[in-house]
Amino acid sequence: MSGSIRGSIVALVTPMRADGSLDLAAFDRLIDWHVESGTHAVVVAGTTGESATLSVQEHCDLVAHCVKVTGNRIPVIAGTGSNNTEEALYFTESARQHGADACLLVTPYYNKPSQEGLYQHFKAVAERVDIPQILYNVPGRTACDLSLETVEKLANLDNIVGIKDATGDSPRGLRLIQRCGKRLAIYSGEDAITLPLMEGGADGTISVTANVAPELMAEMCSLALSGDNENARKINKKLDLLHSNLFLEGNPIPVKWALRQMGLIETGIRLPLVELGAKYHIQVIKALKQAGIALSGAV
């Protein structure tokens, strides 16, 4: 899609202190690191950013802070989805007012709406808030699957510009590209199948792996977008353990633990999530080492 955000988009963690309070100084350092590393855009207050346990005020303030700190160096995509349409409208309008470049809206979770309900939900937000909007389909978390037919209908709405496909189904992702790729930007939402989807025409990825390997992810995506799949595959091979081992427990548990081992954030995650189980530590360390990532010890 002409003019769309392309490449490696980090689904950024929200750094926290041991007491669960937000660590904005660490957040600012992460933003600077991503800009310097070539990350193409950032998602703030998404799933990896623990949006589920941010208060409404924290959510809106964090988006505003991200826009300010990023300072137009790279685009900011605000997570603004909800299973309450009025709340999604509130978050999306707040993100617009604070200067976000686009919004990422997850399918309404838990409620189990019909396809018509999903269509009306996204249509309401698209028609009432004038900001580019990216659909987010992750049925493994939401118990709700946005069908290809509904995506095609939503692609006719002016403000809907893309979709993050986190079904983990590569053949389905390729069908999505074939049917909607000329009207929507298609982003992989599963790191393990990002490269196959990009080889099939996807515009990029909204990535968890990019939190710990921003330079490699940005380079891999740039190579794939340029058609240099051979060298993109060489980089992806270094990242393949991260793509799997950062999901040994629920995201963002492993990636926050990894960032702590890299010395980039403190220990801090909000209940009901807890620290990564000790039995997984060796596997995450192995994945970091395979990618050539330096460990500087826990903060």
Side-chain angles (χ1 to χ4, degrees):
M1 191 185 96
S2 177
S4 66
I5 299 168
R6 307 183 82 208
S8 176
I9 304 167
V10 63
L12 194 65
V13 301
T14 300
M16 298 172 181
R17 300 182 184 87
D19 64 1
S21 61
L22 303 190
D23 186 349
L24 294 181
F27 182 91
D28 296 356
R29 291 193 296 270
L30 289 180
I31 291 289
D32 289 341
W33 182 47
H34 279 285
V35 172
E36 293 162 7
S37 299
T39 295
H40 298 107
V42 57
V43 169
V44 59
T47 304
T48 310
E50 294 175 77
S51 58
T53 51
L54 296 176
S55 71
V56 170
Q57 192 64 53
E58 284 175 327
H59 190 126
C60 296
D61 288 349
L62 189 62
V63 171
H65 182 81
C66 185
V67 171
K68 181 179 178 181
V69 172
T70 304
N72 295 316
R73 291 177 291 171
I74 56 175
V76 173
I77 302 169
T80 61
S82 175
N83 63 343
N84 175 335
T85 303
E86 288 301 317
E87 184 173 74
L89 283 162
Y90 180 86
F91 282 141
T92 305
E93 174 60 22
S94 174
R96 186 197 66 78
Q97 290 180 8
H98 287 121
D101 296 279
C103 291
L104 179 69
L105 291 107
V106 70
T107 52
Y109 39 87
Y110 191 77
N111 309 31
K112 292 192 175 182
S114 65
Q115 292 301 310
E116 179 62 20
L118 290 169
Y119 175 75
Q120 293 296 338
H121 169 82
F122 288 116
K123 180 174 181 284
V125 181
E127 290 182 343
R128 288 170 60 181
V129 187
D130 187 15
I131 189 172
Q133 294 165 30
I134 300 167
L135 310 171
Y136 177 14
N137 190 31
V138 56
R141 277 185 178 265
T142 62
C144 172
D145 188 10
L146 191 64
S147 73
L148 293 178
E149 292 74 21
T150 304
V151 175
E152 285 186 298
K153 284 178 62 181
L154 289 166
N156 294 321
L157 301 176
D158 288 343
N159 283 344
I160 294 182
V161 300
I163 180 169
K164 175 184 177 181
D165 179 67
T167 61
D169 184 338
S170 187
R172 175 173 166 165
L174 293 172
R175 291 197 301 275
L176 176 63
I177 293 166
Q178 291 164 2
R179 291 170 66 167
C180 299
K182 291 183 179 179
R183 292 186 289 162
L184 297 176
I186 312 294
Y187 304 108
S188 169
E190 295 283 348
D191 283 303
I193 61 171
T194 286
L195 188 53
L197 291 185
M198 291 192 71
E199 290 176 345
D203 294 88
T205 179
I206 297 178
S207 170
V208 174
T209 298
N211 277 280
V212 297
E215 190 170 349
L216 287 174
M217 283 298 296
E219 185 179 2
M220 184 193 78
C221 288
S222 293
L223 288 167
L225 287 170
S226 72
D228 189 352
N229 293 331
E230 181 180 353
N231 283 313
R233 288 172 194 154
K234 290 178 182 177
I235 295 175
N236 197 51
K237 189 173 182 180
K238 295 174 67 175
L239 296 168
D240 61 3
L241 271 185
L242 283 173
H243 295 336
S244 58
N245 290 3
L246 290 180
F247 296 92
L248 289 168
E249 288 192 327
N251 179 45
I253 293 170
V255 74
K256 291 194 93 172
W257 187 86
L259 284 165
R260 181 170 180 256
Q261 306 316 302
M262 295 166 65
L264 296 176
I265 64 173
E266 296 183 25
T267 298
I269 198 163
R270 287 184 177 175
L271 288 170
L273 302 185
V274 296
E275 283 288 295
L276 182 69
K279 64 181 178 180
Y280 297 121
H281 290 186
I282 292 175
Q283 289 165 275
V284 174
I285 292 294
K286 182 179 179 181
L288 291 167
K289 288 182 175 178
Q290 177 178 289
I293 295 170
L295 304 179
S296 54
V299 173

